[in-house]
Amino acid sequence: MDRRYWMEISYRRMVMQTTNLKRALIGALFFLPFSTIADQANNSGTPESQSSELDIRPYQAEYKVFRGGSEYGKGSRSLLQVEDGLWYLETSTDVSWLFLSDRRQEKSWFKVFDDHVVPLQYKQKRSGTGPDYLSFVLFDHRLKKVKEIGDYDEFEAVYQSGVLDGASYQFQMMRDIQAGVKDITYPIIMSGENKEYRFKLIGEEELETPFGKLATVKLERIRGNKKRQTYVWLAKEYGYVVARIWQAKGGSEQADLQISHFKWLKQAPHPELKTALKVSAPPDKTK
């Protein structure tokens, strides 16, 4: 075999390893979905927000992503209150390996009603090595419809009460655990498909992270495929924010996302967040 052949084989192996790593990291940070919500009953099609006994505060968290003890990327998660009862959650990852890169961002606008999430808008963006991707999901509660428009997908369906988007389900899980729910199921709409995620509460655990030692609750994702494993730790003293996500496949670690920084936010959100909520539909692709 000549040298060029072996160089090509090595390159293909490197691309495959990086692709598997990116998928694992993406799944690690954007991993969850929601239970049933209260009936919606006002003129706008969404319920009026109500005060909650559970603590909700704006925050910002940063993460480091490891595999086999080596650091491969970083992530972040921010929760902001746009106005009373109206929230904005943003999650992002930035992963790189040699000359390959993958950057993902998710944004979700939603209301909280009786400790349940009512999604309004969702945006997903991907850039880096390979094709870029942009997708919008709109929840029309008045017409009971959900519509997704993206670079590759176009999807419309009847909105079923309780369905969440690809980011707001994470917030719902934090709320459910605070409320003492032990076995939770989350239906979501993602990439034009209806999916269901199930989690089981394992128990409490003291966890060492780059941010320090944390008191956490540990959950396991229940899958039909036994070859894949996902465990999630939520930090009790920090609003049950995600502290760690560990994923493996066939007994081999794929990704280990750990919190490295956290702070409560006191500043009011930027006015652009309110402006973004006035958008009634994503850009018309036909124009």
Side-chain angles (χ1 to χ4, degrees):
M1 301 290 181
D2 59 22
R3 182 182 179 186
R4 287 182 298 178
Y5 173 82
W6 288 112
M7 289 179 64
E8 181 178 355
I9 293 297
S10 298
Y11 174 78
R12 289 180 178 178
R13 287 177 177 174
M14 178 181 65
V15 171
M16 289 178 63
Q17 291 174 354
T18 305
T19 300
N20 291 335
L21 173 63
K22 291 189 294 184
R23 289 175 178 172
L25 301 182
I26 294 162
L29 193 57
F30 306 137
F31 69 105
L32 309 163
F34 162 130
S35 55
T36 58
I37 61 175
D39 292 336
Q40 303 163 14
N42 71 351
N43 293 333
S44 64
T46 60
E48 295 293 339
S49 59
Q50 297 184 357
S51 60
S52 170
E53 296 180 358
L54 301 181
D55 184 30
I56 311 177
R57 284 188 282 169
Y59 67 81
Q60 182 177 28
E62 297 177 3
Y63 300 85
K64 293 183 178 181
V65 184
F66 302 92
R67 188 184 189 188
S70 298
E71 186 175 342
Y72 280 86
K74 59 184 180 180
S76 67
R77 180 170 300 182
S78 299
L79 176 68
L80 300 175
Q81 186 173 18
V82 181
E83 58 187 29
D84 185 28
L86 185 60
W87 295 85
Y88 167 81
L89 177 64
E90 179 177 326
T91 308
S92 66
T93 55
D94 189 344
V95 180
S96 61
W97 189 65
L98 297 179
F99 54 85
L100 301 176
S101 65
D102 186 275
R103 292 177 293 276
R104 308 249 172 170
Q105 185 181 58
E106 288 184 306
K107 299 180 179 181
S108 177
W109 291 264
F110 56 90
K111 284 190 174 184
V112 178
F113 179 73
D114 281 346
D115 293 323
H116 295 291
V117 171
V118 179
L120 301 174
Q121 295 185 32
Y122 170 76
K123 179 181 179 181
Q124 179 183 192
K125 182 180 180 181
R126 186 268 172 196
S127 62
T129 306
D132 294 345
Y133 178 76
L134 181 64
S135 174
F136 296 87
V137 180
L138 301 176
F139 296 84
D140 191 327
H141 298 274
R142 183 175 60 86
L143 297 178
K144 302 293 184 182
K145 290 184 178 180
V146 57
K147 184 175 183 179
E148 178 177 358
I149 297 178
D151 292 334
Y152 304 109
D153 301 306
E154 187 162 343
F155 172 80
E156 184 171 341
V158 175
Y159 175 74
Q160 301 293 330
S161 180
V163 173
L164 293 184
D165 60 52
S168 61
Y169 62 79
Q170 302 170 34
F171 180 86
Q172 183 64 49
M173 187 184 70
M174 295 163 56
R175 309 291 290 152
D176 287 343
I177 295 301
Q178 287 187 63
V181 180
K182 296 182 179 180
D183 293 284
I184 44 184
T185 300
Y186 297 105
I188 65 170
I189 287 183
M190 183 180 294
S191 301
E193 297 182 13
N194 292 303
K195 300 184 179 182
E196 185 175 87
Y197 287 20
R198 293 180 58 213
F199 289 86
K200 179 180 179 180
L201 179 62
I202 297 177
E204 298 188 1
E205 182 176 317
E206 191 172 71
L207 184 68
E208 287 284 356
T209 71
F211 181 57
K213 186 177 294 185
L214 299 172
T216 69
V217 292
K218 183 179 179 181
L219 298 94
E220 178 183 7
R221 180 176 172 186
I222 307 303
R223 300 175 180 269
N225 183 359
K226 301 295 184 179
K227 293 183 179 180
R228 299 182 64 186
Q229 291 178 299
T230 302
Y231 292 99
V232 183
W233 289 260
L234 305 179
K236 296 174 61 178
E237 297 178 3
Y238 296 92
Y240 287 80
V241 69
V242 171
R244 182 186 182 189
I245 302 173
W246 183 86
Q247 288 192 340
K249 184 176 181 180
S252 177
E253 181 184 84
Q254 288 189 306
D256 187 1
L257 179 143
Q258 300 183 27
I259 193 169
S260 59
H261 180 76
F262 180 92
K263 65 178 180 180
W264 297 110
L265 299 178
K266 297 181 180 180
Q267 296 290 336
H270 196 281
E272 287 183 358
L273 291 177
K274 282 193 174 184
T275 302
L277 282 164
K278 295 179 181 179
V279 178
S280 60
D284 189 343
K285 295 172 61 179
T286 62
K287 296 182 178 180

